[in-house]
């Protein structure tokens, strides 16, 4: 095990060399088998964590490690990986974004030929952290047979599907602007938290709200007006409801 920032400097190949069968491992993972909804088969990567350990969202924050999930399909046309609404954590290493206890990343897979079996193979790399971090890898495969209705994990997958942000075109953000190194969002109604995705070189900090205005500090800008005219993807926690909104900064 190692400090979090040391782990970030490891090459990917070295991280994959870490054993996934160490004694008292603080995580476990499995590949789920859901059902067929008429267009897609459903699977998912499920990660269970020991108490106080966490893993990360696709934008992990200043000290986190974004998960890498690679999927290959036999008899598959396309697939999509979904990321449930994350939480924000603050500790001595800084602010990170992710999940504690457990998380499922649902995956939808569209078959090329619905009359044939479909096989999903998954390889993943992710960080799990408490005070220290360790690299984790997991790989497995699942076979879907059109002649079988077996879907032992569909209820679990559906529960985590309900936590995936839904695209909102009507709000709650009504205006996005920038003032120096601060992103300013005007909101229609209160929100619990907002996670911002844009240029990978920009780091968006913790929001603060006053009278319908949310201010988010931004670091990594090369110029004070660099955000203007850019599109940002917002993941919004609105008192437990997960929303997603695309905004253009004025």
């Amino acid at each position: 095990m190692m400090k979090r920032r040391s782990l970030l400097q490891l090459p990917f190949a070295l991280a994959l060399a870490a054993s996934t069968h160490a004694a008292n491992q603080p995580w476990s993972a499995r590949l789920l088998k859901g059902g067929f909804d008429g267009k897609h088969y459903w699977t998912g990567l499920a990660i269970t964590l020991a108490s106080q350990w966490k893993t990360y969202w696709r934008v992990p924050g200043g000290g986190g490690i974004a998960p890498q999930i690679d999927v290959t399909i036999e008899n598959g046309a396309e697939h999509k990986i979904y990321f449930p609404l994350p939480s924000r954590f603050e500790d001595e290493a800084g602010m990170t974004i992710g999940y504690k206890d457990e998380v499922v990343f649902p995956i939808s897979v569209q078959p090329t030929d619905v009359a044939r079996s479909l096989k999903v193979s998954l390889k993943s790399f992710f960080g799990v952290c408490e005070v220290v971090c360790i690299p984790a890898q997991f790989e497995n495969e699942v076979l879907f047979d059109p002649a079988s209705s077996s879907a032992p994990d569909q209820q679990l997958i559906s529960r985590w599907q309900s936590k995936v942000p839904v695209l909102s075109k009507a709000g709650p953000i009504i205006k996005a602007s920038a003032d120096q190194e601060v992103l300013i969002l005007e909101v229609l109604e209160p929100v619990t938290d907002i996670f911002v995705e844009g240029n990978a070189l920009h780091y968006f900090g913790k929001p603060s709200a006053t009278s319908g205005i949310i201010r988010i500090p931004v670091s990594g800008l090369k110029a004070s007006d660099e955000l203007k005219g850019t599109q940002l993807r917002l993941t919004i926690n609105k008192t437990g409801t997960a929303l997603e909104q695309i905004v253009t900064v004025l």
Side-chain angles (χ1 to χ4, degrees):
M1 295 193 292
M2 60 203 76
K3 291 183 179 180
R4 183 173 310 162
R5 300 196 187 281
S6 297
L7 176 59
L8 290 172
Q9 297 171 358
L10 281 177
F12 179 69
L14 178 59
L16 286 182
S19 170
T20 62
H21 303 289
N24 301 317
Q25 178 174 277
W27 65 274
S28 63
R30 65 190 185 99
L31 185 60
L32 305 180
K33 185 175 184 178
F36 183 63
D37 64 10
K39 185 176 181 180
H40 301 96
Y41 286 103
W42 284 91
T43 179
L45 172 61
I47 301 172
T48 302
L49 301 158
S51 177
Q52 302 306 312
W53 286 74
K54 56 182 174 288
T55 192
Y56 298 100
W57 189 51
R58 61 175 178 258
V59 179
I65 304 149
Q68 300 177 34
I69 304 172
D70 297 317
V71 175
T72 56
I73 315 162
E74 292 183 14
N75 184 35
E78 61 181 16
H79 73 278
K80 184 174 181 179
I81 302 169
Y82 297 87
F83 288 79
L85 181 70
S87 297
R88 189 183 302 272
F89 306 114
E90 294 183 75
D91 57 28
E92 66 278 4
M95 185 160 41
T96 55
I97 302 169
Y99 313 91
K100 284 187 175 181
D101 300 324
E102 66 173 347
V103 63
V104 172
F105 300 107
I107 303 171
S108 63
V109 183
Q110 183 177 347
T112 302
D113 183 351
V114 296
R116 293 170 47 213
S117 296
L118 179 147
K119 184 169 78 172
V120 177
S121 300
L122 177 142
K123 292 184 179 180
S124 62
F125 166 74
F126 49 94
V128 293
C129 298
E130 189 192 30
V131 177
V132 295
C133 286
I134 59 174
Q137 64 166 336
F138 171 78
E139 58 183 86
N140 207 338
E141 59 185 37
V142 62
L143 181 68
F144 293 94
D145 182 353
S148 172
S149 60
S150 175
D153 300 309
Q154 186 57 54
Q155 186 174 358
L156 177 60
I157 295 170
S158 296
R159 179 161 63 87
W160 283 91
Q161 278 180 271
S162 70
K163 302 175 187 290
V164 172
V166 176
L167 185 64
S168 172
K169 296 182 179 180
I173 309 304
I174 57 175
K175 182 181 177 182
S177 59
D179 181 12
Q180 301 294 321
E181 296 183 345
V182 178
L183 174 66
I184 302 171
L185 303 175
E186 297 183 23
V187 295
L188 282 170
E189 49 195 320
V191 300
T192 304
D193 206 344
I194 296 180
F195 308 99
V196 185
E197 296 172 76
N199 188 316
L201 298 177
H202 299 161
Y203 173 69
F204 295 87
K206 184 177 181 179
S208 60
T210 305
S211 302
I213 302 296
I214 294 176
R215 291 175 170 83
I216 301 176
V218 187
S219 58
L221 298 175
K222 294 181 180 179
S224 59
D225 61 351
E226 192 173 344
L227 283 180
K228 293 185 178 180
T230 63
Q231 277 199 334
L232 301 176
R233 180 183 185 183
L234 308 179
T235 296
I236 303 163
N237 181 348
K238 191 170 78 70
T239 59
T241 299
L243 300 173
E244 185 177 284
Q245 190 172 344
I246 305 298
V247 298
T248 299
V249 182
L250 303 176

